[in-house]
Amino acid sequence: MTPSSDKEDVDPTSEQVLLTFYRRLYPFKQLFKWLNRGPERTEKELRLFPYREFAYTLRNQAYLRYNSYPSDIEMKKHVCLLTPSRFEIGPVYSAQPKDKKTVRSTHFKAEKREVVFDIDMTDYDPIRTCCSEADICKRCWGFIAVAVQVLDKAIRDQFGYNQLLWVYSGRRGIHLWISDKEAFELTDDQRKAMVEYLTVVKNGKEPGKQVNSRFASKDLPPTLKEACQTINESFDELILQDQNCFGSKEGYETLLSLIPDAKVVSRLREKWSDNPGSPSYIKWDEMKDEIKTLEQPARRVMRNAMEDILLQYAYPRLDAEVSKHRNHLLKAPFCIHPKTGRICVPVDPRHVAEFDPAKVPTIGQLLAELDAAGSSNSGREHRDDWQKTSLKPYIDMFDQYANSVQEKQTKMDLSW
Amino acid sequence: MFQAAKQTSKIQRHDKDDETLHVENGSTSYRLSLYDQPPLYDVTVEEFETSALDRLRILAEIESSAARNRTMEETKQMTIIQCGKYLPLNSNSASGVDIQAERRKDQLGHFVLRLAFCRSAELRRRFVKAEGTLFRIRYETDDSKERAAFLSSKDFNWISVDADEKEKYEAQLSHFVSNKTDPNAFKNETFYKVRWSTIPDLVEKRKVFLKGGFAYVPGREQASIIYAAFEERLEAALLATSRAIPLVDEETRLNPILDNLAQGFTAGVPSDWVGSGETTGEGITADMVDSLAKQHFPLCMRVLHQNLRKDHHMKHFGRLHYGLFLKVLGLSIDEAIAFWRKSFAGGPGADKFDKEYRYNIRHSFGLEGRRMNYPAKNCLQLHTAHEAGCPYRQLENSPENLQSALLSSYSAQGLTVDDLPEIMSQVRKKAYHVACTRVFEITHPRQVRKGDGLGDGESVTHPNQYAAKSIELEKEAKEPKMEVDN
Ligand SMILES: [Zn+2]
């Protein structure tokens, strides 16, 4: 990695920067391979890539919907002409989106798309203590890391899907694309069922109980018990040590509001108000000690409450609306975030905890790497220029993912 | 799975006798049916049509229940009442009824409607939803022994979870056992495995255990799988039928019937309202029409009446629709002639009255020409009329006019500006009969509650039905009730 001295000066929204990026770095070929779910077809047997919508946000903030292309080559040409600041991927329609105006509306329906999920750091504002709103740091990435671990496991294990692509959103969130054939073809009702099933925390700005995990006072469903175990592995480090969520009066009051046993609450409040700044892990242990003194059924009620607290603090907070409808648009992988200049790169869920958003390549850094690598043909398009930059591991990962989607599709075709 | 082409070829006209259709088969061992065997036996055209119309009545009510936000329980009660009237379907143990005839009608009506509703994706979706609800209600009310026999006769693509697998997931599955205090509850519970996407509603509510894309469904939730299977199969069958429909199209005689049926979904059920003179329109005279119109007429007839009063004239279709409506309401031939003569007095057609219009009125009463006693037009016919038709439909695109017509016609009976958004939203959904039914409810607040429609949850399907119910309710309110309130 070659840090560039003029990296800060590069404007991620300038036409010249975007043009160079789209011409020399953006992985259109891999994008095509992924979205077309197989090699280029000579016949129109599979109407995939050409029936897919792309929507552009232009540099003047104009929004262009219903673009579509026969292949990546035409798409790249058009993108280089428009140099949008970013673009989004929509569904596969029953007709080519570019013909939307000429086909009857009853013949233009969103038919298929990957199942997508969006987790945004702002939904963690009521609990995170290090940053707020648009900011994100290595510390609050811990929430995203746990969310990815929980959701990735649930989807693979419970829904049986394997073609999962996690993509950093460029600033404060992460997207998931699920490309398995069954997922690709789910109806809106099925998508809604899936996201409601996976939704436990009702998003809201107010503190207080936001968890909907069980029927009345029944036990947690077995799958949420598993989620609790995953969360428990990080709870101590993330919530108690690093975020120190209960290290202030406001923080511990939120915790107390989640405890249903009035006697426990009053004893703890008395103890903690003497020393409101005591570390969270001490408070947590004090709460556990209180629980140990309880008899059944009060003890069972408190055990349940503790599970719900784990979920409230670290269960993935999903933006459900994104996932419910096939026609929702979601930013494409490898776009540049216009504010941070960072590339929306894929993230390996097995190493999500080590991922540092601050180390994601920026467009300024990449352009400098391009300059350094090829002074001879500087500025001219060259095959696989991205190989010489720090984008390489990410595009390799994306390429492998596209291959996995493709292989499955081909196999299925043969078996039919 | 039957072949679409084969299926449609089974409904053919008999060459020998053009009043019967040749239809074969029809499985009737159980009250419940997945309708996987098209009926194959001879039916008359009339049987063909009535079986479909009576079923459509039920389905249209189920649809308007959804539009009116009735709860499942309310919909169920309403459907049971309506089915009792139009589509009774008794269990094997029932005595004194012709079970086979009931089931034959149930099968035939279903398959006729398939032909009518397979023609567009939108119609297919609505048909599947309404039929799915009907099936569900019948399933819930079925005799439990007969239901079990029915279930074991069918293959629902579920996999029984065997003992090994049940043991492997005991920790997880035991969560879904209903009675946890019974130590044998888990042992006695049966689980089935289906692809999760076939039962999204159970997944959404976390009522099943999910593993590897399969949902493990406890026995008591079995019904959900069956409802899903019913709808899935019907959807596939409709699609297959729609591809084969050109074959049926050759049977031109059936086409008008099928077209009419498909439209009936939006219009409510096309019904000929035969007003019984004894109960409603007894002794209606020409002088009474003004006050009856103000209190009891649906918007279509209100508008016609107001125009007649304003213009002292009315064009052909207006005369036809309004005249037949008044006839069925109970206006005798003499009173009708008096009414029209008076209404035309001073208008542009007054001089032509005796020469031309008088004959037409006598004709519509069956006293001239072919001597047919013509029925009044129903909502379906008024929907498709180009003139003097359903105002909810004709003014759909000029909402201001529709709203002012509603206010000027019904504000004396309690309709206010606040009621308009709800009515207009039904109009925008093209649920004209729901809008009209809602107006009836609003203008009869003492007699019916929201959701009751014209009583028993019935929707408006005929202007005379509207007027007759309104008059009936007023009479009931005036007569002191004999029974004790409970
Ligand atoms: Zn932070």
Side-chain angles (χ1 to χ4, degrees):
Chain A
M1 199 179 301
T2 334
S4 161
S5 55
D6 59 2
K7 170 169 141 181
E8 301 302 317
D9 304 332
V10 170
D11 173 8
T13 60
S14 93
E15 180 176 7
Q16 199 49 50
V17 168
L18 286 163
L19 180 61
T20 312
F21 174 70
Y22 289 128
R23 276 177 66 205
R24 301 181 64 189
L25 295 171
Y26 193 89
F28 285 103
K29 219 164 63 180
Q30 288 79 1
L31 185 79
F32 173 82
K33 187 158 64 175
W34 167 42
L35 296 179
N36 206 45
R37 308 176 65 83
E40 198 175 349
R41 311 276 160 161
T42 45
E43 298 143 74
K44 280 188 183 169
E45 56 185 278
L46 265 186
R47 303 184 299 183
L48 289 172
F49 193 85
Y51 287 69
R52 175 80 73 159
E53 176 185 1
F54 296 95
Y56 299 110
T57 304
L58 301 186
R59 280 169 286 107
N60 63 8
Q61 296 306 308
Y63 194 52
L64 279 189
R65 286 200 60 182
Y66 303 116
N67 302 280
S68 64
Y69 310 94
S71 79
D72 54 320
I73 299 162
E74 291 84 355
M75 178 176 180
K76 183 171 180 176
K77 257 186 218 152
H78 196 213
V79 171
C80 287
L81 190 77
L82 295 171
T83 56
S85 59
R86 58 188 186 274
F87 64 90
E88 294 174 314
I89 300 176
V92 170
Y93 286 91
S94 50
Q96 298 192 30
K98 66 181 168 62
D99 301 331
K100 180 176 187 286
K101 284 195 184 118
T102 55
V103 293
R104 272 198 289 163
S105 63
T106 48
H107 293 176
F108 191 76
K109 291 265 182 304
E111 287 191 327
K112 299 171 184 180
R113 80 157 299 155
E114 295 73 17
V115 172
V116 294
F117 285 90
D118 181 10
I119 303 171
D120 194 294
M121 208 59 233
T122 45
D123 289 325
Y124 290 81
D125 279 351
I127 45 173
R128 63 178 172 161
T129 58
C130 52
C131 321
S132 67
E133 291 176 18
D135 295 332
I136 184 166
C137 68
K138 175 70 185 144
R139 285 178 57 204
C140 50
W141 181 262
F143 286 107
I144 299 280
V146 176
V148 168
Q149 285 160 354
V150 171
L151 203 57
D152 192 80
K153 185 170 191 292
I155 289 169
R156 285 175 203 271
D157 189 57
Q158 293 160 38
F159 288 90
Y161 299 142
N162 298 309
Q163 296 166 5
L164 275 57
L165 179 72
W166 290 94
V167 181
Y168 174 53
S169 73
R171 185 151 72 171
R172 59 188 176 203
I174 198 156
H175 298 157
L176 168 63
W177 299 77
I178 309 173
S179 301
D180 293 71
K181 188 174 162 58
E182 185 187 79
F184 186 59
E185 293 171 357
L186 291 180
T187 63
D188 285 1
D189 281 347
Q190 291 164 331
R191 281 165 210 255
K192 176 172 169 282
M194 183 174 180
V195 66
E196 296 288 349
Y197 171 86
L198 290 166
T199 298
V200 170
V201 184
K202 295 278 168 237
N203 286 339
K205 294 272 170 275
E206 298 305 310
K209 190 169 174 187
Q210 294 163 324
V211 166
N212 159 34
S213 58
R214 60 183 92 226
F215 297 108
S217 58
K218 283 190 176 165
D219 282 350
L220 273 189
T223 46
L224 288 182
K225 272 223 159 37
E226 277 176 42
C228 274
Q229 278 160 18
T230 311
I231 290 168
N232 206 18
E233 286 162 22
S234 320
F235 193 80
D236 186 75
E237 200 189 318
L238 175 70
I239 304 297
L240 302 181
Q241 309 273 354
D242 194 278
Q243 291 283 331
N244 194 14
C245 285
F246 317 128
S248 66
K249 179 161 194 289
E250 198 194 346
Y252 76 64
E253 281 297 338
T254 304
L255 176 61
L256 291 177
S257 75
L258 302 173
I259 297 175
D261 190 310
K263 282 184 204 143
V264 173
V265 171
S266 77
R267 283 200 292 271
L268 287 175
R269 182 175 284 129
E270 197 177 322
K271 197 178 282 177
W272 294 349
S273 56
D274 288 345
N275 185 8
S278 74
S280 295
Y281 63 91
I282 292 193
K283 292 199 179 90
W284 188 253
D285 287 344
E286 286 168 345
M287 183 184 81
K288 284 198 199 159
D289 289 342
E290 283 291 340
I291 295 174
K292 279 179 200 148
T293 69
L294 296 173
E295 303 282 331
Q296 294 298 14
R299 193 161 169 175
R300 211 178 76 91
V301 170
M302 272 306 294
R303 289 273 165 216
N304 286 351
M306 268 183 70
E307 286 172 339
D308 285 352
I309 291 166
L310 291 184
L311 294 170
Q312 170 142 349
Y313 277 87
Y315 189 88
R317 299 187 166 208
L318 306 172
D319 183 346
E321 291 313 308
V322 172
S323 315
K324 283 182 185 171
H325 307 287
R326 274 167 289 187
N327 58 8
H328 195 92
L329 294 148
L330 190 68
K331 188 161 59 160
F334 291 98
C335 281
I336 305 169
H337 193 286
K339 294 273 168 12
T340 63
R342 292 194 194 283
I343 314 297
C344 304
V345 293
V347 178
D348 183 344
R350 289 164 300 182
H351 301 293
V352 64
E354 296 109 77
F355 183 87
D356 183 352
K359 291 200 177 125
V360 169
T362 62
I363 179 61
Q365 176 193 336
L366 293 173
L367 294 187
E369 287 169 8
L370 271 184
D371 283 347
S375 45
S376 58
N377 55 357
S378 162
R380 304 243 313 278
E381 188 175 349
H382 195 268
R383 253 179 96 86
D384 302 336
D385 267 346
W386 53 267
Q387 303 255 21
K388 301 164 203 153
T389 70
S390 42
L391 213 48
K392 179 171 168 29
Y394 300 106
I395 294 187
D396 284 342
M397 201 195 297
F398 186 48
D399 190 55
Q400 267 175 28
Y401 177 72
N403 283 338
S404 75
V405 175
Q406 179 168 34
E407 279 170 15
K408 263 283 183 334
Q409 185 77 23
T410 316
K411 254 187 238 158
M412 295 203 94
D413 287 349
L414 286 177
S415 69
W416 281 0
Chain B
M1 193 63 192
F2 49 83
Q3 293 297 308
K6 220 166 99 194
Q7 176 205 351
T8 52
S9 70
K10 284 172 187 166
I11 298 180
Q12 294 164 343
R13 225 168 77 190
H14 242 232
D15 287 335
K16 288 170 268 172
D17 179 358
D18 69 356
E19 279 306 314
T20 61
L21 301 164
H22 183 59
V23 183
E24 293 165 31
N25 203 344
S27 66
T28 50
S29 339
Y30 306 101
R31 177 175 170 264
L32 293 171
S33 173
L34 293 179
Y35 307 101
D36 38 13
Q37 296 284 327
L40 301 170
Y41 41 75
D42 287 352
V43 293
T44 62
V45 172
E46 198 196 336
E47 217 181 333
F48 183 89
E49 197 172 16
T50 41
S51 69
L53 278 175
D54 282 342
R55 191 182 196 83
L56 187 59
R57 221 182 269 277
I58 312 290
L59 298 185
E61 274 305 332
I62 289 174
E63 249 220 341
S64 73
S65 288
R68 292 201 228 155
N69 293 322
R70 282 197 185 120
T71 64
M72 187 58 200
E73 194 46 41
E74 287 164 349
T75 306
K76 186 172 164 181
Q77 292 314 322
M78 184 277 307
T79 307
I80 291 170
I81 293 171
Q82 298 278 320
C83 279
K85 281 193 210 162
Y86 300 113
L87 196 60
L89 192 62
N90 282 287
S91 63
N92 290 345
S93 56
S95 60
V97 285
D98 187 347
I99 295 170
Q100 292 307 317
E102 284 181 358
R103 291 179 190 178
R104 221 168 83 129
K105 182 178 174 186
D106 181 62
Q107 295 277 330
L108 184 61
H110 173 88
F111 279 96
V112 174
L113 290 184
R114 272 195 192 182
L115 295 177
F117 287 96
C118 68
R119 297 163 165 206
S120 79
E122 172 66 8
L123 282 174
R124 288 196 292 271
R125 187 188 63 75
R126 291 168 55 189
F127 182 65
V128 168
K129 215 167 162 192
E131 278 279 346
T133 308
L134 177 61
F135 179 81
R136 193 178 181 135
I137 289 163
R138 285 173 168 178
Y139 184 91
E140 283 174 8
T141 54
D142 202 24
D143 175 89
S144 62
K145 269 197 199 126
E146 283 181 36
R147 183 167 66 194
F150 162 76
L151 290 181
S152 60
S153 74
K154 301 286 168 195
D155 176 15
F156 289 100
N157 292 330
W158 58 43
I159 307 161
S160 280
V161 175
D162 65 27
D164 287 349
E165 201 176 7
K166 194 176 158 191
E167 200 187 314
K168 185 174 164 196
Y169 295 125
E170 177 168 358
Q172 289 92 338
L173 291 177
S174 53
H175 175 82
F176 298 96
V177 172
S178 47
N179 184 359
K180 292 203 181 65
T181 49
D182 174 6
N184 289 321
F186 180 72
K187 212 180 84 195
N188 296 336
E189 182 73 88
T190 322
F191 287 90
Y192 302 94
K193 213 160 77 158
V194 285
R195 208 62 211 164
W196 81 267
S197 49
T198 55
I199 45 162
D201 46 336
L202 288 187
V203 171
E204 181 168 334
K205 298 189 186 101
R206 299 197 197 107
K207 285 190 171 172
V208 289
F209 171 59
L210 233 58
K211 184 83 186 172
F214 283 95
Y216 289 66
V217 186
R220 77 194 123 84
E221 303 283 8
Q222 205 183 24
S224 285
I225 306 185
I226 293 152
Y227 303 152
F230 178 87
E231 296 190 4
E232 201 177 318
R233 287 171 193 211
L234 181 53
E235 224 166 84
L238 284 174
L239 202 64
T241 310
S242 79
R243 296 204 179 106
I245 203 81
L247 294 175
V248 181
D249 270 0
E250 288 163 20
E251 185 54 75
T252 47
R253 180 151 178 206
L254 299 182
N255 263 335
I257 301 178
L258 296 178
D259 285 342
N260 232 18
L261 289 173
Q263 282 171 18
F265 232 14
T266 10
V269 181
S271 59
D272 285 337
W273 181 259
V274 187
S276 47
E278 293 88 48
T279 53
T280 56
E282 199 179 352
I284 289 178
T285 61
D287 309 338
M288 292 160 68
V289 175
D290 274 322
S291 85
L292 285 173
K294 284 199 186 95
Q295 289 177 67
H296 301 301
F297 286 9
L299 190 61
C300 49
M301 297 302 147
R302 285 291 297 256
V303 168
L304 291 178
H305 186 77
Q306 282 159 18
N307 289 345
L308 178 63
R309 285 287 173 263
K310 185 163 56 81
D311 302 336
H312 301 284
H313 186 69
M314 188 168 261
K315 288 195 194 155
H316 172 74
F317 283 105
R319 291 199 311 271
L320 181 67
H321 297 168
Y322 194 39
L324 290 172
F325 169 79
L326 290 175
K327 180 188 82 172
V328 174
L329 189 72
L331 212 62
S332 68
I333 175 70
D334 294 335
E335 289 296 327
I337 289 171
F339 170 81
W340 286 103
R341 190 197 301 277
K342 220 168 151 187
S343 302
F344 274 51
D351 50 335
K352 280 200 281 182
F353 189 86
D354 279 319
K355 215 165 53 198
E356 196 175 317
Y357 302 146
R358 196 166 172 274
Y359 176 87
N360 288 347
I361 295 164
R362 288 180 55 79
H363 185 264
S364 72
F365 274 78
L367 300 171
E368 305 278 359
R370 290 170 62 204
R371 308 219 164 215
M372 289 266 294
N373 199 356
Y374 293 99
K377 302 292 175 195
N378 61 42
C379 291
L380 175 59
Q381 291 163 318
L382 294 173
H383 279 186
T384 46
H386 295 293
E387 280 172 52
C390 173
Y392 294 99
R393 176 165 185 156
Q394 291 181 335
L395 295 178
E396 186 190 345
N397 295 322
S398 49
E400 298 81 17
N401 292 345
L402 179 53
Q403 295 188 33
S404 66
L406 280 166
L407 284 175
S408 68
S409 302
Y410 293 112
S411 54
Q413 285 167 279
L415 185 131
T416 68
V417 180
D418 295 340
D419 297 316
L420 293 176
E422 191 190 351
I423 297 166
M424 298 306 290
S425 92
Q426 297 297 354
V427 171
R428 277 191 300 275
K429 279 190 247 167
K430 306 200 183 302
Y432 313 112
H433 66 305
V434 175
C436 188
T437 306
R438 185 66 195 125
V439 169
F440 185 94
E441 289 169 354
I442 292 167
T443 54
H444 297 77
R446 278 171 301 123
Q447 295 99 333
V448 290
R449 278 172 311 163
K450 186 170 180 182
D452 283 351
L454 311 185
D456 286 348
E458 223 172 292
S459 304
V460 179
T461 58
H462 197 297
N464 281 106
Q465 166 213 24
Y466 184 112
K469 285 281 179 183
S470 179
I471 293 169
E472 193 184 312
L473 288 177
E474 192 195 31
K475 270 193 184 167
E476 274 174 21
K478 276 184 188 159
E479 282 161 14
K481 285 236 162 121
M482 294 305 288
E483 68 265 49
V484 184
D485 265 351
N486 46 3

